[in-house]
Amino acid sequence: QVQLMQSGAEVKKPGASVKVSCKASGYTFTGYYMHWLRQAPGQGLEWMGWINPDSDVTKSAQRFQGRVTMTRDTSISTAYMELTRLRSDDTAMYYCARDRRDYAPGTLASWGQGTLVTVSS
Amino acid sequence: DIQMTQSPSSLSASVGDRVTITCQASQDINTYLSWYQQKPGKAPRLLIYDASNLETGVPSRFSGSGSGTDFTFTISSLQPEDIATYYCQQYENLPFTFGPGTKVDVK
């Protein structure tokens, strides 16, 4: 079965960077897009971007461009999301989610357990 | 960006009731719409994709319909385990965007 295991909670100071990992198992890692999303406390879901683990092509929401970097290591079936220049309003649960299809990304079928990132001075 | 709206923002219904949530997109998204269920403290779960297709393993009491800008999500007979927040999401255009959610309670 598809499993996505994310790294543990992080506490960062404003201006710092955070890198969250997402280790995939139970399927061919390079076969499906991987998305990153976040959810601020008590708020809704916000899509940040996706990476095609096969081609290493990425697309991110414009509001995160310049601050977010999505990478992958196919040798260990792991995707990464790094967010720089952290602000207090970046405090959120961050999720990785595997796409349902191996083409035309958009349906988020399998989710990691979430990584809580807290930004506080 | 495509804006997604949902109504109602919350509802309370009895076990066995039919529950309907609507989702509207700010522009035509064809049928590129999914519905997710999120229980407190948990990651979201995909229920419906392509507006009306039931994800594998999801109970048949959940259904979706619509195309273009107007969509409907229905729970045919509400169960206690359906207490959750439900989100619609469009994937016609980047960035993918979500509705604000509908919180469903059982009376």
Coordinates of all heavy atoms in Angstrom, one line a residue, chain B residues 4-5 9-11 17 23 34 44 46 49-52 63 66 69 71 73-74 78 86 88 98-99 104-105:
Chain B
M4 N -12.6 29.4 -5.3 CA -13.6 28.4 -5.0 C -14.4 28.8 -3.8 O -13.9 29.2 -2.7 CB -13.0 27.0 -4.7 CG -12.0 26.6 -5.8 SD -12.8 26.3 -7.4 CE -13.8 24.9 -7.0
T5 N -15.7 28.7 -3.9 CA -16.6 29.0 -2.7 C -17.4 27.8 -2.4 O -17.7 26.9 -3.3 CB -17.5 30.2 -3.0 OG1 -18.3 29.9 -4.2 CG2 -16.7 31.5 -3.3
S9 N -21.1 27.0 5.2 CA -19.8 26.9 5.9 C -19.8 25.8 7.0 O -18.8 25.2 7.3 CB -19.4 28.2 6.4 OG -20.4 28.7 7.3
S10 N -21.0 25.6 7.5 CA -21.2 24.5 8.5 C -22.6 24.0 8.5 O -23.5 24.8 8.0 CB -20.8 25.0 9.9 OG -21.7 26.0 10.3
L11 N -22.8 22.8 8.9 CA -24.2 22.3 9.0 C -24.2 21.2 10.1 O -23.2 20.6 10.4 CB -24.6 21.7 7.7 CG -23.9 20.5 7.1 CD1 -24.6 19.2 7.6 CD2 -23.9 20.5 5.6
D17 N -29.7 11.4 7.7 CA -30.2 12.5 6.8 C -29.3 12.5 5.6 O -28.2 12.1 5.5 CB -30.0 13.8 7.6 CG -31.1 14.1 8.5 OD1 -32.1 13.4 8.6 OD2 -31.0 15.2 9.2
C23 N -20.4 23.7 -4.2 CA -19.1 24.3 -4.5 C -19.2 25.1 -5.8 O -19.7 24.5 -6.8 CB -18.0 23.3 -4.6 SG -16.4 23.8 -5.0
S34 N -12.2 17.9 -7.3 CA -12.2 16.8 -6.3 C -12.8 17.3 -5.0 O -12.9 18.5 -4.7 CB -10.7 16.4 -6.0 OG -10.1 15.8 -7.1
P44 N -6.2 15.1 5.0 CA -7.3 15.0 4.2 C -7.3 13.6 3.5 O -6.3 13.0 3.3 CB -7.2 16.1 3.2 CG -6.4 17.1 3.9 CD -5.4 16.3 4.7
L46 N -9.0 11.8 -0.1 CA -9.7 12.0 -1.3 C -11.0 11.1 -1.3 O -10.9 9.9 -1.1 CB -8.8 11.6 -2.5 CG -9.4 11.6 -3.9 CD1 -9.8 13.1 -4.3 CD2 -8.4 11.0 -4.9
Y49 N -13.2 12.3 -7.3 CA -12.3 13.1 -8.3 C -13.1 13.2 -9.6 O -14.0 12.4 -9.9 CB -11.0 12.3 -8.5 CG -11.1 10.9 -9.1 CD1 -10.9 10.7 -10.4 CD2 -11.4 9.8 -8.2 CE1 -11.0 9.5 -11.0 CE2 -11.5 8.6 -8.8 CZ -11.3 8.4 -10.1 OH -11.4 7.1 -10.6
D50 N -12.6 14.1 -10.5 CA -13.3 14.4 -11.8 C -14.8 14.6 -11.5 O -15.6 14.2 -12.3 CB -13.0 13.2 -12.7 CG -11.6 13.1 -13.2 OD1 -10.8 14.0 -12.9 OD2 -11.2 12.1 -13.8
A51 N -15.1 15.3 -10.5 CA -16.4 15.8 -10.1 C -17.4 14.7 -9.6 O -18.2 15.0 -8.8 CB -17.0 16.5 -11.3
S52 N -17.3 13.5 -10.2 CA -18.3 12.5 -9.9 C -17.8 11.1 -9.7 O -18.6 10.2 -9.4 CB -19.3 12.5 -11.0 OG -18.8 12.1 -12.2
S63 N -21.3 11.0 -2.9 CA -21.3 11.1 -4.4 C -21.1 12.6 -4.7 O -21.2 13.5 -3.9 CB -22.7 10.7 -4.9 OG -23.7 11.5 -4.4
G66 N -21.9 17.6 -11.2 CA -21.7 19.0 -11.7 C -20.6 19.1 -12.7 O -19.8 18.2 -12.9
T69 N -19.0 25.4 -13.6 CA -18.7 26.3 -12.4 C -19.5 25.8 -11.1 O -19.2 26.3 -10.0 CB -19.1 27.7 -12.6 OG1 -20.5 27.8 -12.9 CG2 -18.3 28.3 -13.7
F71 N -21.0 22.7 -8.6 CA -20.8 21.3 -8.2 C -21.5 21.0 -6.9 O -21.8 21.9 -6.1 CB -19.3 21.1 -8.0 CG -18.5 21.3 -9.3 CD1 -18.1 22.6 -9.6 CD2 -18.3 20.3 -10.2 CE1 -17.4 22.8 -10.8 CE2 -17.6 20.5 -11.4 CZ -17.1 21.8 -11.6
F73 N -21.9 18.0 -3.7 CA -21.4 16.8 -3.0 C -22.5 16.4 -2.1 O -23.1 17.2 -1.4 CB -20.1 17.2 -2.2 CG -19.6 16.1 -1.3 CD1 -18.9 15.1 -1.7 CD2 -19.9 16.2 0.1 CE1 -18.4 14.1 -0.9 CE2 -19.4 15.2 1.0 CZ -18.7 14.2 0.5
T74 N -22.8 15.1 -2.1 CA -23.9 14.6 -1.3 C -23.5 13.4 -0.5 O -22.7 12.5 -0.9 CB -25.0 14.1 -2.2 OG1 -25.5 15.3 -3.0 CG2 -26.2 13.6 -1.4
L78 N -26.3 10.2 6.3 CA -25.2 10.6 7.2 C -24.9 9.6 8.3 O -25.9 9.2 9.0 CB -25.5 12.0 7.8 CG -24.4 12.7 8.6 CD1 -23.3 13.1 7.7 CD2 -25.0 13.9 9.4
Y86 N -15.3 19.1 4.9 CA -15.2 18.7 3.5 C -14.8 19.9 2.7 O -15.3 21.0 2.8 CB -16.6 18.2 3.1 CG -17.0 16.9 3.8 CD1 -17.6 17.0 5.1 CD2 -16.7 15.7 3.3 CE1 -17.9 15.8 5.8 CE2 -17.0 14.5 3.9 CZ -17.6 14.6 5.2 OH -17.9 13.4 5.9
C88 N -13.7 21.2 -1.4 CA -13.6 21.0 -2.8 C -12.3 21.6 -3.3 O -11.8 22.5 -2.6 CB -14.8 21.6 -3.6 SG -15.1 23.4 -3.4
F98 N -8.5 25.4 -3.3 CA -9.5 24.8 -2.5 C -10.6 25.7 -2.0 O -10.4 26.9 -1.9 CB -8.9 24.2 -1.2 CG -7.9 23.0 -1.4 CD1 -6.6 23.3 -1.8 CD2 -8.4 21.7 -1.2 CE1 -5.7 22.2 -2.0 CE2 -7.5 20.7 -1.4 CZ -6.2 20.9 -1.8
G99 N -11.8 25.2 -1.8 CA -12.8 25.9 -1.2 C -12.5 26.1 0.3 O -11.6 25.4 0.8
V104 N -19.2 19.6 9.0 CA -20.4 18.8 9.1 C -20.4 18.2 10.5 O -19.5 17.5 10.9 CB -20.5 17.7 8.1 CG1 -21.7 16.7 8.3 CG2 -20.6 18.3 6.7
D105 N -21.5 18.4 11.3 CA -21.7 17.9 12.6 C -22.9 17.0 12.6 O -23.8 17.1 11.8 CB -21.9 19.0 13.6 CG -20.6 19.6 14.1 OD1 -19.6 18.8 14.2 OD2 -20.6 20.8 14.4

